[in-house]
Amino acid sequence: DAGVIQSPRHEVTEMGQEVTLRCKPISGHNSLFWYRQTMMRGLELLIYFNNNVPIDDSGMPEDRFSAKMPNASFSTLKIQPSEPRDSAVYFCASSLRGGAGNTIYFGEGSWLTVV
Amino acid sequence: DQQVKQNSPSLSVQEGRISILNCDYTNSMFDYFLWYKKYPAEGPTFLISISSIKDKNEDGRFTVFLNKSAKHLSLHIVPSQPGDSAVYFCAAPIQGAQKLVFGQGTRLTINP
């Protein structure tokens, strides 16, 4: 079974450029999460969706960040304009709402470097 | 506001010995806790969990202990193996919500 699929795996971009990260959740899962991992803050939740609807975006750092989920099998996280402090690993995860134990399944991450 | 805290950023243990990873939390309303394991260049993967109505859950070499009065949980790995070298995160769901809050992680290194 395919897990959560993220692209790109690695992205190096210049400050001020737009960055788009993509995610395909596990088929049948109805919740999708975007997390960011940094050395200072560990894993922090940016936003999550239930049935394609954003439920909580309180973790989104600022207006430069936006996320969409146009359908059950695709989501994007966009940063515009990007800044060096956005450099981090961005993880997408999915789960089956009401499933056992609140377990969520992570993708392999998108490593973003903004220079 | 870090509701889940892992105060040890790293831990080094000899192969065959017991590894003990610790986690503290501040929110007494948490009713479920999870441990995730992360290898380099991979996403975190679920390892083991425990409900707040229990004080122990065991799965093979992995055991999680919960001390509600101290708001503390720990993950024991015995015997430790080289493949256990990874970053371990403890996590808890915000009550009434699905989102997990994670600790900062502890990097475990198992030495041969």
Side-chain angles (χ1 to χ4, degrees):
Chain A
D1 288 342
V4 176
I5 299 173
Q6 293 185 245
S7 65
R9 288 297 312 277
H10 299 272
E11 175 92 6
V12 180
T13 190
E14 291 185 347
M15 182 175 63
Q17 296 297 307
E18 178 180 292
V19 174
T20 299
L21 308 178
R22 301 172 185 81
C23 176
K24 176 178 170 56
I26 293 173
S27 177
H29 281 189
N30 51 14
S31 295
L32 183 139
F33 308 82
W34 282 100
Y35 279 86
R36 178 172 68 176
Q37 184 187 11
T38 61
M39 289 293 294
M40 292 297 293
R41 301 178 66 86
L43 271 169
E44 52 180 341
L45 179 67
L46 301 177
I47 185 171
Y48 80 96
F49 297 82
N50 280 345
N51 297 315
N52 314 337
V53 177
I55 302 301
D56 184 348
D57 65 354
S58 59
M60 296 286 262
E62 48 199 272
D63 292 345
R64 297 183 298 106
F65 285 69
S66 62
K68 294 181 180 180
M69 191 166 185
N71 57 63
S73 59
F74 184 67
S75 176
T76 59
L77 178 67
K78 185 175 294 187
I79 308 171
Q80 167 63 21
S82 57
E83 296 183 3
R85 60 191 167 124
D86 301 331
S87 298
V89 185
Y90 291 81
F91 289 102
C92 178
S94 70
S95 72
L96 180 61
R97 188 181 183 196
N102 300 302
T103 305
I104 65 174
Y105 299 85
F106 286 82
E108 294 188 322
S110 292
W111 295 64
L112 175 64
T113 303
V114 183
V115 297
Chain B
D1 179 23
Q2 196 76 24
Q3 298 189 59
V4 179
K5 299 180 182 180
Q6 294 174 259
N7 293 317
S8 298
S10 63
L11 175 67
S12 187
V13 174
Q14 192 170 0
E15 181 179 359
R17 298 291 183 98
I18 184 171
S19 296
I20 300 176
L21 298 106
N22 294 303
C23 180
D24 297 299
Y25 61 96
T26 57
N27 189 342
S28 58
M29 300 302 287
F30 285 147
D31 57 4
Y32 203 86
F33 300 90
L34 305 91
W35 284 93
Y36 277 76
K37 176 180 181 179
K38 183 185 179 303
Y39 290 119
E42 295 184 10
T45 55
F46 171 73
L47 183 59
I48 191 170
S49 62
I50 187 167
S51 166
S52 62
I53 63 174
K54 295 185 177 182
D55 55 18
K56 176 183 175 181
N57 188 29
E58 187 174 354
D59 183 2
R61 296 184 298 113
F62 303 90
T63 303
V64 57
F65 295 92
L66 176 61
N67 182 335
K68 290 188 289 294
S69 62
K71 294 191 178 70
H72 178 84
L73 63 154
S74 60
L75 174 67
H76 293 213
I77 307 173
V78 56
S80 301
Q81 299 175 354
D84 297 329
S85 295
V87 177
Y88 290 79
F89 293 95
C90 63
I94 298 292
Q95 188 179 27
Q98 291 174 258
K99 60 183 185 181
L100 291 178
V101 289
F102 285 83
Q104 298 94 321
T106 297
R107 180 177 302 277
L108 174 65
T109 303
I110 305 301
N111 302 307

